[in-house]
Amino acid sequence: MDLQKIEKAFSFYNGGKGLDHWSYSSTSSPFAKNIINYYFPQEVRRKFPFRYPGDFGNLVNNTVQKMLADVLYVEGRERLTEWDRSYEAAYNHELKDFHSKLPVDAKDKFGREEVLKYAEPCIKITEKVVKEIVGKNKLVCERYIDHGIDLMIKKITGRIDYETKHTFIELKTKPPKTSKVRNKEEFKMRSQDLPLEPQIEHLTQTSFYYMVTKKIPYLVYTNDKEFKLFDQSHELMKPDHLEYLYNKMIEKILLWEKMIMYCDGDIEKLALMCEPPDMDHPFYYRDLTDDQRKLISKLWGIK
């Protein structure tokens, strides 16, 4: 395929720099949401409002990785083997990053302060289950995976949470939920229950790593009270179902790429081919910036 045509077609991404790769997170939401987010350069995206649940997950997972990993990959694909693996060093490093994020509103401010009471118990539980699965095997965390098939224009890039020679773990924390106290200008927080069944979006992400590595997959959920582990004994974690989910993801990316190439870099034309944003969605379009709202208005005429 003509490289110049590809560059032109994808040129609306990343502030005009184009798209380097797909990721599961960038393709797990509607195409309209993908455009609204990835139209902007990375330095702008990093300043988008981000509520505490995602940062809670990073605080827990990154702390455990720094404590247990033999090899750790960091941004820029740097491979580390030496660092301070003590709990104090790992937790305090991640806590500093957690505190660097500004709260979105009063509810998020309360959540960011209260949630730390739940973080340390969740870290201990996560550490316990990872140790049980990994045993004495060498543990690698956050290894980069690049993958594509012949028909794809852009590769998919992901990073595996925990990986040994024969297994990998996809970890999902379930942070506590914040809600408003009835008839009061106050908030309260409670633990979030773990899912009874593996969730489809997490299964799809697991399917990508499984299809690329062919290693034994584990999907693990943790909160501040317990963990839940799903392995290949569960019907939805069996190889044929993971392969099915992987193929569905690939089909979506191939369709998006065809639409992008057809529109030849015309983002307004591309927007007309997408389902318009559902502004009442509970989280996709909840915390938009002014620039994102202006883009939505320009592309879909939604005020």
Side-chain angles (χ1 to χ4, degrees):
M1 192 174 290
D2 190 313
L3 291 178
Q4 287 187 332
K5 287 184 178 180
I6 292 173
E7 287 182 7
K8 182 181 179 184
F10 285 84
S11 62
F12 66 89
Y13 275 112
N14 197 23
K17 295 179 181 178
L19 183 71
D20 180 55
H21 64 269
W22 299 108
S23 66
Y24 171 74
S25 61
S26 70
T27 58
S28 60
S29 55
F31 197 13
K33 175 64 172 174
N34 175 274
I35 293 171
I36 293 162
N37 276 1
Y38 292 91
Y39 172 83
F40 298 95
Q42 188 179 62
E43 57 269 22
V44 173
R45 296 198 305 271
R46 285 178 173 173
K47 296 178 182 178
F48 284 168
F50 200 59
R51 293 180 180 269
Y52 78 82
D55 289 326
F56 175 87
N58 290 334
L59 175 61
V60 171
N61 198 26
N62 293 353
T63 298
V64 174
Q65 288 179 339
K66 285 185 168 69
M67 292 166 59
L68 301 183
D70 296 292
V71 176
L72 177 65
Y73 286 83
V74 295
E75 192 171 349
R77 305 198 178 213
E78 183 182 0
R79 182 180 185 273
L80 304 180
T81 56
E82 298 295 333
W83 64 89
D84 188 342
R85 290 176 170 82
S86 68
Y87 170 78
E88 292 75 15
Y91 181 70
N92 288 333
H93 180 273
E94 296 304 321
L95 190 62
K96 183 179 179 181
D97 188 57
F98 181 89
H99 285 314
S100 71
K101 310 291 179 61
L102 296 175
V104 176
D105 52 24
K107 182 179 179 181
D108 190 46
K109 184 177 186 297
F110 170 86
R112 287 183 173 277
E113 294 168 354
E114 192 73 9
V115 78
L116 295 180
K117 299 176 184 177
Y118 297 75
E120 294 199 58
C122 189
I123 288 169
K124 291 178 181 178
I125 290 168
T126 303
E127 178 189 10
K128 178 177 183 292
V129 65
V130 170
K131 280 183 173 180
E132 286 182 7
I133 296 171
V134 171
K136 296 182 179 180
N137 294 292
K138 181 179 179 180
L139 178 62
V140 178
C141 292
E142 297 297 325
R143 183 170 73 93
Y144 286 80
I145 295 290
D146 296 310
H147 174 71
I149 63 172
D150 289 342
L151 295 176
M152 286 173 57
I153 297 171
K154 302 292 183 178
K155 64 188 176 183
I156 310 171
T157 296
R159 298 174 72 178
I160 300 179
D161 287 335
Y162 303 88
E163 182 184 20
T164 69
K165 185 177 181 180
H166 300 292
T167 66
F168 73 88
I169 304 169
E170 179 62 27
L171 178 77
K172 299 299 177 185
T173 60
K174 289 294 182 181
K177 289 187 172 182
T178 296
S179 58
K180 194 171 182 294
V181 178
R182 189 175 182 179
N183 299 324
K184 292 184 179 181
E185 292 302 315
E186 299 176 9
F187 298 99
K188 60 183 179 180
M189 179 172 280
R190 63 173 179 82
S191 299
Q192 182 178 178
D193 293 336
L194 298 182
L196 298 177
E197 298 289 332
Q199 295 175 254
I200 189 66
E201 62 270 26
H202 304 146
L203 283 166
T204 302
Q205 189 172 9
T206 302
S207 78
F208 170 66
Y209 298 128
Y210 169 72
M211 291 298 292
V212 176
T213 68
K214 294 298 183 181
K215 295 183 178 183
I216 299 170
Y218 294 89
L219 175 56
V220 175
Y221 294 92
T222 62
N223 62 13
D224 58 293
K225 295 180 178 179
E226 59 183 339
F227 71 84
K228 188 156 290 188
L229 184 155
F230 297 101
D231 58 21
Q232 289 186 302
S233 65
H234 192 286
E235 185 177 2
L236 297 179
M237 287 282 287
K238 291 187 181 300
D240 59 344
H241 187 247
L242 293 180
E243 183 175 0
Y244 167 78
L245 293 176
Y246 163 84
N247 288 331
K248 295 292 287 184
M249 180 181 68
I250 295 295
E251 287 172 8
K252 177 194 283 192
I253 291 172
L254 290 173
L255 175 61
W256 286 10
E257 290 186 337
K258 287 179 181 178
M259 293 165 64
I260 291 168
M261 293 302 297
Y262 175 79
C263 292
D264 197 30
D266 187 338
I267 189 175
E268 294 184 31
K269 183 178 178 181
L270 183 62
L272 293 176
M273 299 177 70
C274 301
E275 185 175 347
D278 175 8
M279 303 303 283
D280 294 322
H281 192 277
F283 57 85
Y284 281 153
Y285 307 102
R286 178 175 58 176
D287 297 316
L288 297 169
T289 65
D290 288 342
D291 286 339
Q292 286 177 302
R293 291 186 181 279
K294 288 177 183 176
L295 181 62
I296 291 172
S297 178
K298 174 185 175 183
L299 297 181
W300 289 281
I302 300 173
K303 302 295 184 181

